[in-house]
Amino acid sequence: MPKIRVLIVDDDPLVRSALSHFVARDPEVDVIGQAENGREAIAFLERDLPDVVMMDVQMPEMNGIEATAAIAKRWPDVRILAVTTLDGSDTVLPMLSAGASGYLLKDSSAESILAGLREVHSGASSLSPRIASLLVQHVRSTAPTSDSAGTLEALTERETEVLQRLAKGMSNAEIAQSLIVSEGTVKAHLGRIMSKWQLRDRVQILVTAAHAGLVDFR
């Protein structure tokens, strides 16, 4: 099986080294390069394409939001996982809008970051609990919820259970453990929600559900 090829982008060399160290411990992951800002990251991609870019947000010369937008436009098959200390709506929402498939905080456990890396590589999205909460709260505070729910195809009871856990920032594996089902079953439920609502990923599921007032994070 081919390894997941990863580029790590962060302006702090100690952070790059730490991320590289514990991510590369997974035998299925190959860290193929490092960059200290968005401009270097784009230059790297012009030479060699990773599967996943682990991207910081606040960097000199070109920040993570600008770099994410450029990469998503030029190389749409490359997945981007934000790994940062910033958790405000002024960074989270622009990063996700720019094309990041996931957003994790640097104080997440090594296991959580590795799980997030795997999720975005598989085509899913990964959000830490705090980021999922922020996303839901922001959408609900800025968007009317009056008739939104009525325009969406209804979910089954189990699909609703999956949705509520997604809103808490749970990974597919965590949702599976919570519901005592297989991870494949969780993916199937998420796939049916995306199909019903004509969406492409977990982030869009959360945003749509929050708009409709179907989820709340407490």
Side-chain angles (χ1 to χ4, degrees):
M1 171 184 268
K3 290 188 175 184
I4 303 173
R5 306 173 81 247
V6 177
L7 171 66
I8 297 175
V9 187
D10 197 293
D11 62 331
D12 187 332
L14 292 178
V15 172
R16 292 199 305 271
S17 177
L19 286 173
S20 178
H21 174 71
F22 68 69
V23 167
R25 284 188 301 178
D26 189 305
E28 295 182 6
V29 174
D30 183 14
V31 177
I32 63 170
Q34 299 181 18
E36 65 178 30
N37 57 55
R39 198 175 304 281
E40 282 193 8
I42 290 173
F44 185 94
L45 265 72
E46 288 173 341
R47 302 188 305 269
D48 193 5
L49 288 182
D51 297 310
V52 179
V53 177
M54 298 178 71
M55 182 80 75
D56 191 15
V57 175
Q58 198 168 49
M59 296 178 291
E61 294 193 39
M62 178 183 280
N63 65 38
I65 297 170
E66 295 167 332
T68 295
I71 291 170
K73 182 177 181 180
R74 293 181 62 182
W75 300 284
D77 292 336
V78 174
R79 307 287 288 179
I80 299 170
L81 173 64
V83 184
T84 179
T85 57
L86 303 175
D87 61 357
S89 60
D90 57 337
T91 55
V92 174
L93 302 174
M95 271 298 282
L96 294 174
S97 297
S101 298
Y103 198 111
L104 300 177
L105 300 175
K106 288 178 181 175
D107 61 5
S108 302
S109 67
E111 291 75 17
S112 295
I113 292 178
L114 186 57
L117 174 66
R118 289 180 170 280
E119 286 197 342
V120 299
H121 177 254
S122 71
S125 300
S126 181
L127 302 174
S128 69
R130 267 189 285 170
I131 299 305
S133 170
L134 179 69
L135 180 61
V136 169
Q137 291 171 0
H138 177 80
V139 171
R140 293 202 61 181
S141 68
T142 57
T145 61
S146 53
D147 298 321
S148 302
T151 63
L152 297 173
E153 185 175 345
L155 303 182
T156 65
E157 181 178 351
R158 182 52 65 131
E159 288 165 356
T160 300
E161 290 174 340
V162 170
L163 174 63
Q164 296 302 330
R165 285 159 176 77
L166 181 65
K168 294 181 179 179
M170 289 188 178
S171 67
N172 288 354
E174 290 168 336
I175 295 173
Q177 184 176 20
S178 171
L179 295 176
I180 317 177
V181 297
S182 71
E183 199 168 338
T185 297
V186 172
K187 290 179 180 178
H189 286 309
L190 289 170
R192 281 194 288 274
I193 295 173
M194 284 185 266
S195 178
K196 284 182 175 182
W197 293 353
Q198 298 182 357
L199 306 173
R200 73 170 185 271
D201 59 33
R202 291 159 53 111
V203 172
Q204 286 195 336
I205 290 175
L206 266 187
V207 170
T208 300
H211 268 294
L214 297 177
V215 293
D216 199 358
F217 188 95
R218 301 186 187 280

